[in-house]
């Protein structure tokens, strides 16, 4: 268990028990979708609603404490904010893994050939994880 009280405060967030639990859950599992998060939260806060979790998630995203990873054809997952990285997603079991890649040459190529001003690039690779191959 990590103590996220200070880091929450550093992001101008009150360190409520719910937010601490969300932070610890994301720390423990890496990437968690809203349904799994709800289930985990229910074990600790037996009357918590999905709306409350969303409210907390949204303010934690606004304050850049956590971030949403959008995955095509799958529910978004949430993770603690870290350096820019891409993701590997298993089509079979849904496992999400981080991968750090230098996307600068791809971004440059894309910007150059389209005149699009690229601000951010994060790739999602889909396929089969080691266990599902
Ligand atoms: Zn898999
Ligand atoms: Zn990630």
């Amino acid at each position: 268990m990590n103590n996220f009280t200070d880091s929450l405060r550093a992001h101008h967030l009150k360190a409520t028990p719910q937010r601490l639990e969300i932070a610890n859950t994301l720390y423990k599992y890496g990437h968690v979708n809203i349904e799994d998060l709800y289930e985990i939260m229910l074990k600790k806060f037996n009357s918590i609603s999905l709306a409350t979790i969303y409210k907390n998630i949204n303010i934690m995203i606004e304050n850049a404490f956590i971030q949403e990873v959008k995955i095509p054809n799958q529910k978004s997952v949430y993770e603690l904010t870290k350096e820019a990285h891409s993701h590997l997603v298993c089509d079979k079991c849904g496992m999400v893994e981080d991968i750090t890649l230098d996307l600068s040459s791809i971004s440059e190529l894309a910007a150059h050939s389209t005149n699009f001003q690229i601000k951010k690039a994060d790739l999602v690779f889909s396929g089969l994880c080691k266990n599902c191959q």
Side-chain angles (χ1 to χ4, degrees), residues 31 83-88 97-102 123 125:
H31 307 84
E83 297 209 341
H85 60 279
S86 296
H87 290 94
L88 305 165
E97 203 177 292
D98 288 339
I99 177 170
T100 306
L101 295 169
D102 181 5
L123 286 179
F125 297 90

Side-chain angles (χ1 to χ4, degrees), residues 2-43:
N2 238 38
N3 188 353
F4 285 102
T5 306
D6 290 339
S7 29
L8 279 164
R9 285 186 187 143
H11 286 82
H12 309 289
L13 291 160
K14 234 192 257 169
T16 63
Q18 289 87 349
R19 287 173 192 166
L20 286 169
E21 185 65 16
I22 291 172
N24 273 303
T25 302
L26 297 188
Y27 178 74
K28 186 170 172 197
Y29 297 102
H31 307 84
V32 185
N33 70 31
I34 193 72
E35 276 166 16
D36 293 340
L37 185 61
Y38 183 43
E39 240 172 72
I40 292 164
M41 295 291 285
L42 271 179
K43 284 184 193 147

